[in-house]
Amino acid sequence: MAVETINPAIPTSMGALVAEEVTMNPFTPLPSFLEMIMMEETAGSAQRALQSCTDAVVERAATMANSASSQTESSASSSGSAAFLFWIKVRGKIARFVEYVGRHYGPEVRLLVTYLIERQCLKSKACATFSESIFGARRAKLGATRRVETGDKKIIVKKELLPLADRDKTRLALLVALGPYV
């Protein structure tokens, strides 16, 4: 009696990395090597874009804080309304707060934003991280082993792919967000 093990977590295609695209099994749930590289590049590109956005917000907040302080001084000397002066002061304080948080806690803010985006993508119908959902990949859990007997006395061992539980999605989102910082 021969035992054949089929594991969806191990690719069955042979050959070089480029040949993998040609000999790839289209029914496998696993992405190819080139798809994995594209997903990693997309994730890195998203991290760089998020960093650029937070840097732009910090610079804009610094500009707003400086303009609010100069407007307050010039409006105080002229006859400005109290409500207008109050609004300029509040806007300046908010801008200074955003600048302070961005300059001192920028990486932590980006980590929190990344976690929220990844968690939302994992809990959505796509059930994949942000970069994986762009390429149509899905996350799954490797389930229990199942033995299937065929008519010619051959036993095939199969492992099932199960959907992720909500707590696994939250944990995975945290790991994906923490990955670039570890």
Side-chain angles (χ1 to χ4, degrees), residues 13-23 33:
S13 63
M14 300 301 226
L17 298 176
V18 176
E20 178 187 0
E21 288 298 316
V22 177
T23 62
F33 172 75

Side-chain angles (χ1 to χ4, degrees), residues 65-80 84-85 88-89 96:
N66 291 338
S67 70
S69 64
S70 65
Q71 278 182 346
T72 304
E73 292 169 5
S74 66
S75 296
S77 62
S78 66
S79 60
F84 181 71
L85 286 175
I88 290 175
K89 287 180 183 179
R96 280 189 286 283

Side-chain angles (χ1 to χ4, degrees), residues 38-52 130:
M38 289 190 304
M39 284 186 257
E40 287 177 15
E41 286 298 317
T42 303
S45 162
Q47 286 289 332
R48 289 188 298 276
L50 183 60
Q51 183 169 4
S52 297
F130 177 73

Side-chain angles (χ1 to χ4, degrees), residues 12-127:
T12 58
S13 63
M14 300 301 226
L17 298 176
V18 176
E20 178 187 0
E21 288 298 316
V22 177
T23 62
M24 182 175 86
N25 179 2
F27 301 109
T28 183
L30 299 172
S32 68
F33 172 75
L34 294 176
E35 289 171 328
M36 290 294 291
I37 294 295
M38 289 190 304
M39 284 186 257
E40 287 177 15
E41 286 298 317
T42 303
S45 162
Q47 286 289 332
R48 289 188 298 276
L50 183 60
Q51 183 169 4
S52 297
C53 288
T54 55
D55 291 345
V57 166
V58 167
E59 291 304 316
R60 178 67 180 144
T63 305
M64 286 177 65
N66 291 338
S67 70
S69 64
S70 65
Q71 278 182 346
T72 304
E73 292 169 5
S74 66
S75 296
S77 62
S78 66
S79 60
S81 71
F84 181 71
L85 286 175
F86 176 75
W87 169 245
I88 290 175
K89 287 180 183 179
V90 168
R91 191 178 78 164
K93 287 181 182 182
I94 291 172
R96 280 189 286 283
F97 175 75
V98 169
E99 179 189 10
Y100 176 81
V101 169
R103 293 214 190 279
H104 291 88
Y105 302 106
E108 289 83 2
V109 170
R110 286 193 297 274
L111 178 112
L112 182 62
V113 169
T114 303
Y115 167 73
L116 292 173
I117 290 171
E118 296 294 356
R119 186 170 153 246
Q120 181 62 35
C121 288
L122 281 164
K123 290 193 176 212
S124 71
K125 190 175 180 180
C127 192

